Amino acid sequence: GLCFLALAVLPPFVQNAARVLTENLAFCCLAFWLVCLVRWKRDRRWKWLTLASLLSGAAALTRPSLQLLGPVTACYVVLLLAAEIKGPGLRFARALAALLLPWALLVPGYGAYYYCRTGYFGLTFWGELALSAKTIRVLERIPSQHGLARDIFIRYRNEGFVSGESHTGYNYMFDGAFEELRRVTGRSVIGCARYVGDLNRALILANPLNYALEVGRALVGYWMPFDTRIVWFGVPALRIVWTFLHFLVVVAWWVLVATFLGAVVLFRWRVLASQAPILETFAVGACAIAIFYNMAISCALSLGDSRHRSPTDVLILAGVVIGVGVVRRWRSWVWSCAKDSRHAAGRGGG
């Protein structure tokens, strides 16, 4: 606990508080989401699942990439209950109701409200534009019947290579291409967003290998450090320290994941579960589903920038700290089994 607190208050993990970003609210929602799930696991009081569902919905309203976290959480909890009890029953129904109804009130409910106001069902239409990051290298393949849009996209993309903030061109759609396309075509905001989304999906379907390449690039960028001068105070040496700390935590997380998967392969899961602290193992699993869900959505449907990972940094850190204790418990059990086997072999040989 002290190790987690000491790391969690360091500048790389609190830098978002210095700026007005949606990641700040999502960060807090995910932290309390984990707390509520752990409290439910410990106390088995359904109000904690309801609060966790509301927090997953609130996180989705601030970061739309998290809008399916509620159903993902419900699947995780139902699988846990299925492993504990046999056959469907009231507990399954109560778990689903507690996890899905509050989430549905916030996420699909807001989507319906947004549809009534704009004609678009969803939390935001920006997802249609975010797909442009996956088609940036194949814009020349847009069919000639969409030549006007193609010329606008290519021009803004090329300008992004030269004068854009990142010099990658990935944000060309948000740097003026969308506004010019809407102005030239006379479409409404929603109509133009749908049109851009249709073009992006058509390009992805026609160039699946390019899409896979862009997803791979996004995965690499997703796990890079998200830092600014706020973090290193203009001191390059301090930036090196924070970068080292970031990769230390990331590598520790992936080693922990590999250890868990390897243990499941080598030993039966029920045997492992009986030798691990149940509450801590549940917490690590909850961290994992949120971390990998956010990674999959951010890298598959958007740019996959390290900023998109930052709301889950608290879960990565918590997963590492808690998971180390679980692995140490497993290690002690494995060594004890090995020692008993050697003693049994020695007695048999004698």
Side-chain angles (χ1 to χ4, degrees):
L2 293 177
C3 178
F4 171 77
L5 290 176
L7 291 173
V9 298
L10 291 177
F13 298 102
V14 297
Q15 61 177 311
N16 285 340
R19 299 185 293 179
V20 181
L21 295 172
T22 58
E23 283 80 5
N24 298 334
L25 292 175
F27 183 97
C28 295
C29 289
L30 289 178
F32 287 112
W33 167 84
L34 177 62
V35 171
C36 290
L37 286 180
V38 172
R39 286 297 301 269
W40 168 79
K41 178 62 178 173
R42 189 185 70 178
D43 303 337
R44 292 307 174 110
R45 301 182 66 178
W46 299 102
K47 68 176 183 180
W48 294 114
L49 283 187
T50 303
L51 287 174
S53 179
L54 288 171
L55 287 165
S56 67
L61 293 180
T62 57
R63 292 296 302 170
S65 61
L66 297 170
Q67 58 187 293
L68 294 181
L69 181 60
V72 171
T73 306
C75 292
Y76 178 62
V77 171
V78 167
L79 287 174
L80 175 72
L81 291 175
E84 294 178 350
I85 58 179
K86 295 182 178 180
L90 182 61
R91 295 178 67 183
F92 286 94
R94 294 180 66 181
L96 287 174
L99 283 167
L100 293 181
L101 291 181
W103 168 84
L105 180 66
L106 289 177
V107 180
Y110 181 82
Y113 168 78
Y114 196 68
Y115 177 80
C116 293
R117 295 293 300 270
T118 66
Y120 183 86
F121 184 82
L123 299 184
T124 176
F125 64 86
W126 288 101
E128 305 282 1
L129 310 185
L131 276 175
S132 300
K134 297 292 179 274
T135 60
I136 185 174
R137 302 176 194 279
V138 292
L139 295 179
E140 289 79 4
R141 301 178 188 178
I142 295 177
S144 57
Q145 60 264 37
H146 305 291
L148 178 60
R150 179 186 60 199
D151 294 341
I152 293 174
F153 294 167
I154 291 175
R155 173 158 51 84
Y156 275 93
R157 180 201 62 183
N158 293 344
E159 289 178 2
F161 291 148
V162 178
S163 57
E165 182 179 356
S166 63
H167 298 287
T168 61
Y170 278 112
N171 289 321
Y172 75 93
M173 189 60 66
F174 305 98
D175 290 340
F178 178 69
E179 288 300 323
E180 180 170 338
L181 179 66
R182 187 171 67 87
R183 185 178 64 254
V184 170
T185 60
R187 297 172 183 266
S188 66
V189 173
I190 299 300
C192 193
R194 283 200 178 103
Y195 174 65
V196 172
D198 290 341
L199 287 179
N200 284 324
R201 283 185 285 271
L203 284 174
I204 289 172
L205 290 174
N207 305 275
L209 292 181
N210 176 79
Y211 173 73
L213 176 63
E214 293 297 340
V215 172
R217 294 175 188 272
L219 284 170
V220 174
Y222 183 85
W223 291 99
M224 290 294 108
F226 173 56
D227 65 347
T228 62
R229 291 181 69 88
I230 298 173
V231 176
W232 46 283
F233 308 105
V235 181
L238 192 57
R239 188 178 195 180
I240 295 174
V241 173
W242 296 144
T243 301
F244 174 78
L245 174 63
H246 166 80
F247 283 113
L248 182 65
V249 173
V250 169
V251 170
W253 168 252
W254 282 105
V255 169
L256 182 69
V257 170
T259 302
F260 268 67
L261 293 177
V264 171
V265 172
L266 293 175
F267 304 97
R268 289 184 302 173
W269 170 247
R270 290 187 178 276
V271 175
L272 287 174
S274 66
Q275 300 299 326
I278 296 175
L279 193 62
E280 288 84 347
T281 306
F282 173 80
V284 174
C287 291
I289 63 170
I291 292 166
F292 289 122
Y293 163 75
N294 186 63
M295 179 188 72
I297 297 298
S298 298
C299 294
L301 303 178
S302 186
L303 179 59
D305 188 77
S306 57
R307 174 187 163 188
H308 301 161
R309 187 206 66 248
S310 61
T312 61
D313 280 349
V314 64
L315 301 183
I316 296 172
L317 189 58
V320 169
V321 174
I322 298 172
V324 166
V326 175
V327 171
R328 290 178 62 184
R329 176 75 173 268
W330 281 347
R331 184 187 64 179
S332 300
W333 170 69
V334 171
W335 284 359
S336 176
C337 290
K339 185 182 296 184
D340 292 342
S341 297
R342 286 197 299 269
H343 288 331
R347 288 195 299 269

